Amino acid sequence: MTLVDWDDTYSVGDTEIDNDHKRIIALLNDLYQAYELGHANPILTGLFDQVEQATIQHFKREESLLERRGYQSVDAQRAEHRLLKGSLSQLRHRFDSELPSERVSSEIRDFLLTWFMGHILEEDMRFKDFLSE
């Protein structure tokens, strides 16, 4: 079961950034599916670790690319990333302290559907035209 499948409308026009997004979407789908199937905590923890690492690496890569290319709103993007990392950290805390929980499962789903996809479709699309120049 996947919550979100990659679609080319999510592309920001940069192969590395798009590949990061695809990886994070796949990892979040894997985490949600494993949680829903009742996998053991070590498997879930490993998947959550991968989500966190991929997200942090992605944010660094994206910010570096935007800075190198002279994107004027890079500071706003950094601020958005800080907020998103905070949300991910809060979700991780609940995940670690409340397994297994129906509420945590729905938070993982909501995180994927609103937070991450909203970030790609709203925030990252703001620099799509800039990157294609």
Side-chain angles (χ1 to χ4, degrees), residues 28-39:
L28 286 166
N29 278 323
D30 289 348
L31 176 62
Y32 178 73
Q33 183 178 23
Y35 197 92
E36 287 295 301
L37 293 173
H39 285 286

Side-chain angles (χ1 to χ4, degrees), residues 5-113:
D5 291 312
W6 176 262
D7 184 293
D8 286 338
T9 61
Y10 305 151
S11 174
V12 297
D14 180 85
T15 303
E16 272 191 298
I17 300 301
D18 288 343
N19 286 341
D20 283 353
H21 288 162
K22 289 175 190 177
R23 174 153 170 72
I24 294 168
I25 288 169
L27 288 168
L28 286 166
N29 278 323
D30 289 348
L31 176 62
Y32 178 73
Q33 183 178 23
Y35 197 92
E36 287 295 301
L37 293 173
H39 285 286
N41 289 1
I43 292 170
L44 296 170
T45 299
L47 284 168
F48 212 119
D49 289 345
Q50 290 179 54
V51 168
E52 285 184 307
Q53 291 168 7
T55 301
I56 290 167
Q57 289 171 351
H58 164 66
F59 287 164
K60 287 179 184 178
R61 185 180 350 270
E62 187 175 276
E63 291 168 9
S64 177
L65 171 70
L66 294 174
E67 190 170 306
R68 283 192 320 270
R69 300 282 299 274
Y71 184 61
Q72 291 184 355
S73 298
V74 70
D75 288 336
Q77 191 73 359
R78 277 193 190 101
E80 177 70 16
H81 288 168
R82 277 192 300 276
L83 289 173
L84 296 175
K85 285 190 276 189
S87 296
L88 183 59
S89 178
Q90 289 174 356
L91 180 57
R92 178 59 186 257
H93 175 72
R94 284 190 296 281
F95 177 86
D96 287 341
S97 63
E98 298 179 24
L99 277 175
S101 162
E102 189 69 32
R103 186 169 64 88
V104 173
S105 176
S106 67
E107 287 180 19
I108 292 169
R109 182 192 64 239
D110 292 348
F111 179 79
L112 174 61
L113 295 175

